[in-house]
Amino acid sequence: MDRVSNLPDEVLCHILSFLTSPRGGATFLHSSLLSPSTTTLCSSTPNMKLSLKCPTVANTARVDGWISNALARGVSDLDLTITGSYQLSPKCSKLVKLKLNRWIDIALVAGGGVVSLPLLKTLALDSVGVCPKEFETLLHALPSLEELVLVNVRWRDRDVTVSSASLKTLTIKMLRYDFISTVSFDTPSLVRFKYTGSPEPDFRVVVDMENLVDAHIFLYLCRCHVEEPESEYDHQVAATGYTNVQNLFHGIRNVLNLVLSPATLEVSGLSLGMYSDKGCGWQAMPALLGNCPRLETLVIEGLIHDVTSMCGPSLGCCPVKVMKIHGFQGTVKGMTMIKLFLDYLPCLEEMRVYVQEENDSPATELEENHGVSKRVLEMFQLYNKSSRSRCNVKLMVGDVLCV
C-alpha cells in the first residue's frame, strides 16, 4: 500500500523540501518511484531544482505535466534524463538553467525553431545526439545564453558551428575518436574557453575572441601517429593531422591565462614539424604563443619535454609573467626545463612549481629519495637568494609553501 501518496498535500510538500542532493538545492525524481499525484506536488516545493530521470517515456503528457507544474511554481533549473523521443515544451520559456542528458534528441528539442528560451543563461548537453543545423537553431533561440557545456555530444554531421553573441563561457569535451571536420566559433563575448578533444578538426574563429581571459586546451594525442617513425617523411606525414592546431591558437591569441596539458605541447610540436627521435622540444609552444601579446599566466600540467638547442632563444618572445607547473617529480629533465624558463623568459615575475602528490600517481623520486628532495629545495632557495634572481620561485605541495 502506498501510504506516502495518501498524506495531505502540505505534508508531502514539507517532506519533499528535505530531499536535497549533496550539492544542495536540488530534488531528484525518478518516474518509476513516484505516483502521478506525488510528482505533481513535488514542484510546489519553493526554490527547487528539478532533476527528472525517466527510463522510458510511455506517457509524454505526464512528463509535460511534471515539468509544467514545476515551472509554474518557480523552478528555473531543469535537469532532464529521458529515454526515447521527447520534445521540450514551449512552456519552458522561464528556465534559467537547462541540462539535457543522454538519450534526448536535440532535434526534438529544437522543434523547428518553435522553442523560445529567452531567459536561459546556462545550457549543458551531455551525451545527446545533435544535428549541427538544429543546434544552431536552438542557439538562436537563446538570446541570454552565457554558459554552454558540450560533453561527449554525438554530432550527426562533420561540420559544427557554435554561434552566440552573448556567450561568455564555453566548455567542449569531445569523444576521443569523434570524426569532426570543422569546428567554427562565432563567440565575440567569450571570456572562458575550455576544449578537450581531437586536434584534427579545422578550427575556425569567425570573430576574434577579444575578451578572452581564461583558456584550457587539452588535446588528445594518437600514439599511432608518432610511434617509431622510420624516416623524416614519416614524421612529416604524422604532423599533417595536427596542422589545424595553429588555427586554434591563433583564434585564442588574445587570452590572458592559458592552461596546457603535456599532450597539447606534444601535438603543438607535431603541428610545427618539431618532433624528432629525441622527442618534442619546448620550442614548439613559443612558436605558437609568440602571437599572444596579452598572455600573462601560463599553466603547464607536467614537464615531459626535452631541452634542445632551439628552446632557449625561442622563449624570448613569450610575454608570460606568471608560470605554474603541476606534477613536478624532481627529475633532472624537470629541473632542466625549470632552469630554462628562468633563464630565458624575459617578463617572468613569479613561478609556482607544484610537487606531484602521492595520490596522483606512483611514488615520485622526490618522495622516495630524501637526498633528491633536499637538493631540489636547496636549488630553489639558492636561486631566490642569488643576485641575478628577477623571479620569485615557489615550491608548493598542495597549498603549502615549501620555499
Side-chain angles (χ1 to χ4, degrees):
M1 180 178 179
D2 184 2
R3 296 182 178 180
V4 174
S5 297
N6 293 328
L7 292 173
D9 290 355
E10 55 272 16
V11 176
L12 284 173
C13 289
H14 184 68
I15 293 173
L16 287 169
S17 67
F18 291 97
L19 299 179
T20 59
S21 71
R23 293 169 292 181
T27 294
F28 295 84
L29 305 178
H30 198 288
S31 62
S32 63
L33 301 180
L34 301 177
S35 66
S37 61
T38 307
T39 50
T40 299
L41 283 168
C42 70
S43 52
S44 64
T45 306
N47 302 321
M48 185 175 66
K49 165 188 172 182
L50 178 62
S51 182
L52 180 60
K53 297 184 179 181
C54 296
T56 58
V57 181
N59 189 335
T60 57
R62 176 177 293 181
V63 176
D64 283 339
W66 296 338
I67 295 175
S68 296
N69 282 320
L71 297 175
R73 290 166 172 78
V75 171
S76 59
D77 188 344
L78 183 60
D79 187 339
L80 290 179
T81 302
I82 298 178
T83 302
S85 298
Y86 177 74
Q87 182 172 342
L88 194 64
S89 170
K91 296 180 181 180
C92 294
S93 59
K94 294 184 179 181
L95 281 178
V96 175
K97 186 174 182 179
L98 174 63
K99 182 178 181 182
L100 303 176
N101 299 287
R102 55 182 57 85
W103 305 311
I104 293 181
D105 192 329
I106 197 67
L108 296 172
V109 174
V114 298
V115 172
S116 177
L117 302 170
L119 303 180
L120 195 73
K121 292 186 177 182
T122 300
L123 173 64
L125 305 179
D126 188 346
S127 305
V128 301
V130 177
C131 174
K133 291 296 183 183
E134 285 158 347
F135 176 66
E136 292 183 53
T137 300
L138 179 62
L139 290 185
H140 290 158
L142 312 177
S144 302
L145 188 66
E146 295 183 357
E147 181 178 7
L148 177 61
V149 180
L150 305 173
V151 177
N152 297 336
V153 170
R154 303 188 304 276
W155 298 103
R156 292 181 175 148
D157 201 347
R158 294 173 63 89
D159 300 309
V160 178
T161 298
V162 180
S163 178
S164 173
S166 59
L167 192 64
K168 295 181 180 179
T169 301
L170 174 60
T171 300
I172 299 177
K173 183 178 180 181
M174 289 191 173
L175 296 168
R176 182 171 289 274
Y177 299 107
D178 211 346
F179 298 103
I180 301 297
S181 296
T182 64
V183 181
S184 300
F185 302 99
D186 184 2
T187 52
S189 302
L190 201 64
V191 176
R192 290 169 290 276
F193 174 54
K194 184 173 183 179
Y195 176 82
T196 302
S198 170
E200 296 186 9
D202 181 8
F203 298 99
R204 301 176 183 177
V205 179
V206 179
V207 179
D208 285 347
M209 301 178 183
E210 296 182 350
N211 301 309
L212 194 62
V213 174
D214 300 310
H216 297 235
I217 308 297
F218 302 114
L219 299 177
Y220 299 139
L221 176 65
C222 295
R223 290 292 172 184
C224 60
H225 288 92
V226 297
E227 282 184 350
E228 300 181 1
E230 297 179 357
S231 65
E232 183 63 28
Y233 173 77
D234 291 335
H235 282 298
Q236 295 175 1
V237 171
T240 56
Y242 301 107
T243 54
N244 293 326
V245 174
Q246 299 175 56
N247 297 336
L248 177 60
F249 277 91
H250 181 74
I252 63 171
R253 63 187 179 278
N254 292 311
V255 68
L256 290 177
N257 309 309
L258 181 61
V259 181
L260 302 172
S261 67
T264 300
L265 301 178
E266 194 162 352
V267 169
S268 301
L270 286 168
S271 72
L272 296 174
M274 293 181 177
Y275 198 91
S276 69
D277 56 355
K278 295 182 179 180
C280 183
W282 171 255
Q283 72 270 19
M285 282 312 302
L288 294 173
L289 300 179
N291 293 322
C292 300
R294 300 175 60 217
L295 188 63
E296 295 182 356
T297 302
L298 178 62
V299 181
I300 301 176
E301 302 286 348
L303 294 174
I304 63 171
H305 293 75
D306 298 287
V307 174
T308 70
S309 59
M310 297 174 58
C311 289
S314 65
L315 288 169
C317 60
C318 293
V320 174
K321 295 180 180 179
V322 177
M323 190 169 192
K324 299 178 181 180
I325 299 171
H326 292 267
F328 177 63
Q329 300 181 17
T331 63
V332 173
K333 180 183 289 188
M335 291 300 296
T336 303
M337 287 298 298
I338 289 173
K339 183 178 184 300
L340 186 80
F341 299 145
L342 294 173
D343 288 342
Y344 285 95
L345 284 173
C347 303
L348 195 62
E349 297 175 359
E350 180 178 326
M351 176 186 285
R352 293 190 179 189
V353 181
Y354 293 84
V355 174
Q356 183 168 293
E357 298 188 58
E358 185 177 358
N359 56 355
D360 292 337
S361 69
T364 66
E365 193 171 357
L366 274 176
E367 296 165 336
E368 292 182 333
N369 192 323
H370 178 70
V372 172
S373 178
K374 183 178 180 181
R375 285 196 298 273
V376 169
L377 285 171
E378 290 175 348
M379 291 175 67
F380 277 72
Q381 291 169 345
L382 286 172
Y383 178 84
N384 284 330
K385 292 179 181 178
S386 67
S387 58
R388 66 188 186 94
S389 173
R390 51 181 171 74
C391 172
N392 184 18
V393 183
K394 299 179 179 179
L395 184 64
M396 312 286 295
V397 178
D399 295 328
V400 180
L401 176 64
C402 298
V403 178

